[in-house]
Amino acid sequence: HYKTNTFIEVMDVPDLGVDALSDGEKGSGYLDKLKSNQFFAAGFGLGALGAATTALKKLSVIGASIIRRKLLVSVELNSRDPSYTWFLNWMARNVKHTQHLSVSTDLIKHDNGTVTTSFGFLPSTGRHYFRYKRTFMSCERVRETNTLARSGHIWESIVITMVGYNKHKLLDLMEEAKTEAIQSIEGRTIVYSAMGHEWRQFGNPLRQRPVSSIYLPSQVSSRVLGDIQEF
């Protein structure tokens, strides 16, 4: 008989805790700790809010640019063009709800020495809104205070913007302004005054005075009228 001695060594297994967890379990544990951190949660929320605000601003700028290019039509008038004055006078007559105005003073000197003063209101610098033929439009009057034209006038411009694609409405608007301007001086005499190297209109157009109201020696008025007609 053989006698065999067997020795079995039992070792204590240490409590490994988190170190014995898998990588996925470690990651979830770290996230839980970060979420429970108030400072991290507040900073992450502010960062996300800032990023979202920046993205919305960029999207709004891009959207406004697309709308301006595709859905708006604009035309520019400068102060050296006759249509500039025509349109300002048209707005003064037809757009009544404009609250920002500039004053235009006209002095009329009569033959007896008296002077008649009349005041007119025109749209001032800035943006104005109105409606023409069921279409919403805006008018922006810009004045360049530091830039003088050669004529000595301050350079100004008007930008008319409308919603839609129908450019013919802008043409109709300018045609209506021109027609009203021509009708206002029809049958009147325009007096021009020399200003530097150009001629400028002096005052408002004057009504025609009948020749019979002018006292002249006999046959002189008829000869003067004949010379003018022949000329």
Side-chain angles (χ1 to χ4, degrees), residues 20-32:
L21 298 178
S22 61
D23 294 339
E25 293 175 342
K26 289 182 180 180
S28 62
Y30 291 147
L31 288 178
D32 292 337

Side-chain angles (χ1 to χ4, degrees), residues 75-146:
V75 61
E76 182 179 0
L77 311 175
N78 62 72
S79 56
R80 296 179 65 89
D81 194 279
S83 59
Y84 177 86
T85 305
W86 295 348
F87 177 75
L88 281 181
N89 292 328
W90 180 89
M91 282 201 66
R93 289 188 296 264
N94 297 279
V95 181
K96 303 300 182 182
H97 60 271
T98 301
Q99 298 180 347
H100 304 284
L101 305 169
S102 61
V103 179
S104 176
T105 306
D106 295 323
L107 299 176
I108 303 175
K109 187 175 182 180
H110 302 280
D111 297 336
N112 57 4
T114 60
V115 178
T116 302
T117 305
S118 62
F119 299 98
F121 294 99
L122 300 175
S124 65
T125 56
R127 188 179 295 274
H128 309 273
Y129 298 92
F130 62 96
R131 194 174 181 181
Y132 178 75
K133 291 186 176 181
R134 299 181 180 181
T135 302
F136 290 99
M137 297 186 180
S138 68
C139 161
E140 185 178 8
R141 183 179 178 184
V142 181
R143 177 179 300 163
E144 299 291 341
T145 56
N146 296 327

Side-chain angles (χ1 to χ4, degrees), residues 186-200:
E186 188 174 2
R188 296 171 179 261
T189 301
I190 302 177
V191 181
Y192 291 90
S193 176
M195 300 291 292
H197 64 283
E198 66 178 359
W199 292 88
R200 297 182 189 173

